[in-house]
Amino acid sequence: MDFRPSDEQRLLRAAVREFAEAEMRPHVMEWDEAQHFPMDLLPKLADLGLMGIQFDERYGGSAMSAVDYCICIEELARVCPAIALSVAAHNGLCTAHINMFGSEAQKAAYLPRLVKGEVLGAWGLTEASAGSDAAAMRTTAARRGDGWVLNGAKNFITHGAIGGVMVAMAVTDRTKGHRGISAFVLEHGTPGMTAGKKESKLGMRASDTSEVVFQDCRVPASQLLGEEGQGFINTLQVLDAGRIGIAALSVGLAQGAYEAARTYAKERRQFGQPIAAFQAIQWKLADAATRIEASRLLTYRAAYLKDLGRRMTRESAMAKLYASETAVKVADDCVQIHGGYGFVKDYPAEKYFRDVKLLTIGEGTSEIQRLVIARQLLA
Ligand SMILES: Cc1cc2nc3c(=O)[nH]c(=O)nc-3n(C[C@H](O)[C@H](O)[C@H](O)COP(=O)(O)OP(=O)(O)OC[C@H]3O[C@@H](n4cnc5c(N)ncnc54)[C@H](O)[C@@H]3O)c2cc1C
């Protein structure tokens, strides 16, 4: 067992941190207020290899490990969790699904554009009445001639309005339950596919979240992704790995909030001394630092198992559950340590506090993570 990062991993962390500080930090509040995703960041992210972190070099990817992936997402989230969310959804959901289950022709057609950041990827599982119970989806894909016709709507889709490529799940055989769900890969602009309502959100506001509507959306047979009827089963595998990304995002957000709180505690004086001199504040910082380290270790362990090609359903759910709940606690304490200044937009505390709540909800709520873990324990 070796807990030391390699020299390459140290350099990677330093490079992503420098990028996030220079290219993102100055604009974080402006993007948040405007609910604007900065498309001009895509080529810069791609230059660093962050649009295709774990994908094969033959498609232009960076071929990094899952542990490296965690380092990248952590460093982006430390500065702007919303941009980290978009990068994680692009890499870990849409692009990963095509990479894991696409045919060679589909990979050749889509992966190079995705990993170069020419287009953002979107991934549509959730519907208005099918969230945690995603298999209850209503969107259908019916065979017509040599293709498929999609009807229905996907809800809360990251990059639903601005994504260039989307993977969407639809029912192809209602009689077969979750074994009657298939995945499709769709291009933005396909007739019958439109962006619906753009959500106005509490946090993660720079990351686009929109509805996607399918109305007699006709696609050729070549757009079926993976085997017919395997879409939902494949989705569970995509989510196993995707959750490692949300765990890493949680570690990075918590790290950012903790650092902001520590800096403030050393500067802010009350009763004639820095508030960091009070034991009540020291204990909050000590608990935050300890929980963040534990979250990081759980997250890297799940990533390490992924790198070994092992199943990590339990470990990724544990990492996501623990790291996201830790991040909520750390962001809350960060506001508390800032006092009234934690409640206003001049300091970063309030934004971490708003952004963090998504992490116990997206890619499976905390309750669903516990359900996944318990199933694994009792199997
Ligand atoms: C900003 C944002 C981005 C998102 N991006 C995407 C995306 O890109 N693609 C995508 O497909 N989806 C996306 N989602 C959707 C997200 O994955 C869902 O919101 C999430 O899975 C929860 O579903 P729901 O909102 O319908 O809540 P519900 O499933 O209705 O849950 C409501 C409450 O009931 C609890 N609950 C439900 N079932 C159980 C149970 N069996 N046992 C105990 N408690 C239970 C939940 O834990 C929760 O507390 C996004 C959501 C947001 C907010």
Side-chain angles (χ1 to χ4, degrees), residues 26-354:
H27 309 289
V28 165
M29 285 313 287
E30 160 200 331
W31 296 333
D32 180 76
E33 303 251 307
Q35 296 212 74
H36 168 70
F37 180 84
M39 292 298 265
D40 57 354
L41 205 62
L42 293 185
K44 297 177 189 172
L45 287 163
D47 281 350
L48 259 186
L50 301 182
M51 298 304 284
I53 300 173
Q54 291 181 80
F55 305 106
D56 206 294
E57 282 165 338
R58 86 193 129 119
Y59 303 115
S62 311
M64 290 193 233
S65 70
V67 175
D68 298 340
Y69 176 72
C70 292
I71 292 171
C72 297
I73 299 296
E74 242 182 279
E75 289 301 324
L76 296 177
R78 179 179 160 272
V79 171
C80 183
I83 299 299
L85 177 67
S86 276
V87 172
H90 168 90
N91 275 275
L93 297 177
C94 173
T95 314
H97 197 137
I98 296 170
N99 188 55
M100 286 163 83
F101 301 108
S103 64
E104 204 38 61
Q106 287 168 331
K107 289 192 213 181
Y110 295 106
L111 293 183
R113 288 160 60 205
L114 286 158
V115 306
K116 276 188 217 137
E118 285 172 20
V119 287
L120 264 177
W123 189 80
L125 177 67
T126 305
E127 298 185 2
S129 52
S132 300
D133 185 12
M137 69 180 65
R138 292 186 184 160
T139 297
T140 55
R143 272 185 194 281
R144 288 278 190 290
D146 61 353
W148 300 87
V149 177
L150 277 76
N151 277 291
K154 293 288 168 184
N155 220 24
F156 290 149
I157 304 307
T158 302
H159 312 146
I162 61 175
V165 171
M166 178 179 186
V167 172
M169 273 46 79
V171 176
T172 44
D173 186 344
R174 179 83 57 203
T175 63
K176 292 188 178 155
H178 73 274
R179 290 185 182 277
I181 292 171
S182 305
F184 295 85
V185 56
L186 303 145
E187 297 260 0
H188 186 78
T190 303
M193 173 183 172
T194 48
K197 180 182 168 223
K198 176 180 159 100
E199 302 297 344
S200 178
K201 306 197 296 290
L202 167 73
M204 300 290 195
R205 287 162 58 87
S207 178
D208 167 54
T209 313
S210 301
E211 185 189 26
V212 178
V213 181
F214 302 107
Q215 264 181 320
D216 291 329
C217 175
R218 184 180 288 272
V219 294
S222 59
Q223 302 314 102
L224 178 71
L225 183 62
E227 283 175 42
E228 185 180 341
Q230 290 294 303
F232 190 75
I233 293 149
N234 294 348
T235 285
L236 297 181
Q237 276 175 267
V238 172
L239 283 172
D240 276 351
R243 282 170 185 154
I244 300 174
I246 300 296
L249 210 165
S250 305
V251 172
L253 187 154
Q255 181 71 34
Y258 158 75
E259 287 175 18
R262 189 186 54 188
T263 304
Y264 186 80
K266 283 159 80 174
E267 285 167 1
R268 175 71 173 168
R269 294 180 72 85
Q270 290 293 283
F271 300 96
Q273 51 190 328
I275 58 168
F278 303 130
Q279 195 179 51
I281 302 291
Q282 291 171 5
W283 285 18
K284 280 189 179 49
L285 292 173
D287 283 353
T290 306
R291 288 185 179 133
I292 292 167
E293 258 335 297
S295 302
R296 189 173 279 122
L297 289 173
L298 276 174
T299 303
Y300 289 0
R301 179 170 143 73
Y304 167 75
L305 290 174
K306 178 174 185 283
D307 282 331
L308 292 182
R310 299 246 194 98
R311 188 167 175 197
M312 36 55 197
T313 304
R314 184 182 68 171
E315 289 77 6
S316 66
M318 284 178 168
K320 200 259 181 194
L321 172 66
Y322 188 80
S324 62
E325 302 225 327
T326 289
V328 168
K329 172 75 178 131
V330 173
D332 184 6
D333 282 348
C334 176
V335 172
Q336 194 66 22
I337 289 172
H338 279 74
Y341 296 95
F343 207 68
V344 296
K345 290 182 186 284
D346 298 343
Y347 287 84
E350 67 85 35
K351 182 169 182 295
Y352 287 123
F353 186 72
R354 288 188 287 107

